[in-house]
């Protein structure tokens, strides 16, 4: 494992055992979001909080290719049409200054595709893009490990 900074170009995303990285140009920050619940009582002198159940929400996007049958757009669209309770194993490997190898960081979770959009850009000279939003499958737990 190398040390140092990484760049998005060294991230590899696998969705339901299919590598979809080639069709992705944007990937939002990956991590756990704990909603905060304010439990401060009237006589408290400081604000008190309780953390809720964590969730993962990832948005990916890329150039629209309407002829693709196995690209990222086709994979996420098929997943979204299967129903909201259909999840898929998602692995995101982050390479450090190169493609991911053994010992590099890995994020994994079971996510479900909740929305897929084909987006026409405002500039007619730009290629159209698509985006998909993935959220935590009920009952699944995210993990940060290393690439085996």
């Amino acid at each position: 494992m190398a040390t140092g900074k990484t760049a998005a170009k060294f991230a590899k995303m696998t969705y339901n055992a299919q590598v979809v990285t080639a069709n992705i140009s944007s990937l939002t920050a990956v991590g756990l979001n704990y909603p905060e619940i304010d439990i401060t009582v009237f006589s408290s002198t400081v604000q008190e909080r309780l953390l809720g159940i964590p969730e993962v929400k990832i948005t990916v996007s890329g150039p629209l290719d309407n002829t693709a049958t196995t690209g990222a757009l086709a994979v996420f669209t098929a997943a979204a049409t299967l129903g909201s309770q259909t999840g898929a194993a998602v692995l995101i490997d982050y390479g450090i200054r190169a493609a991911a190898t053994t010992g590099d960081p890995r994020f994994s979770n079971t996510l479900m595709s909740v929305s897929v959009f084909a987006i026409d850009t405002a500039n007619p000279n730009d290629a159209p893009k698509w985006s998909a939003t993935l959220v935590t499958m009920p009952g699944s737990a995210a993990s940060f490990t290393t690439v085996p």
Side-chain angles (χ1 to χ4, degrees):
M1 177 183 97
T3 59
K5 295 181 179 180
T6 188
K9 69 180 181 178
F10 299 127
K12 174 184 166 188
M13 183 175 190
T14 306
Y15 186 86
N16 212 17
Q18 182 171 352
V19 177
V20 293
T21 309
N23 302 98
I24 294 176
S25 59
S26 174
L27 173 65
T28 59
V30 174
L32 299 175
N33 178 35
Y34 290 85
E36 297 178 22
I37 302 163
D38 185 358
I39 58 168
T40 309
V41 296
F42 183 68
S43 63
S44 292
T45 57
V46 295
Q47 198 169 31
E48 298 176 31
R49 302 220 180 261
L50 180 66
L51 294 181
I53 298 171
E55 75 166 353
V56 175
K57 186 174 186 178
I58 300 172
T59 301
V60 293
S61 64
L64 182 62
D65 179 0
N66 60 1
T67 62
T69 57
T70 59
L73 176 61
V75 170
F76 296 132
T77 301
T81 58
L82 291 175
S84 62
Q85 294 300 309
T86 304
V90 174
L91 301 173
I92 303 175
D93 298 336
Y94 293 95
I96 306 296
R97 293 188 278 162
T101 61
T102 302
D104 283 341
R106 168 179 275 181
F107 169 82
S108 63
N109 197 358
T110 301
L111 302 176
M112 52 189 181
S113 182
V114 293
S115 66
V116 180
F117 298 102
I119 303 167
D120 290 328
T121 58
N123 185 343
N125 295 323
D126 290 344
K129 299 177 181 174
W130 63 271
S131 72
T133 301
L134 311 172
V135 297
T136 309
M137 180 73 181
S140 69
S143 67
F144 289 94
T145 57
T146 58
V147 177

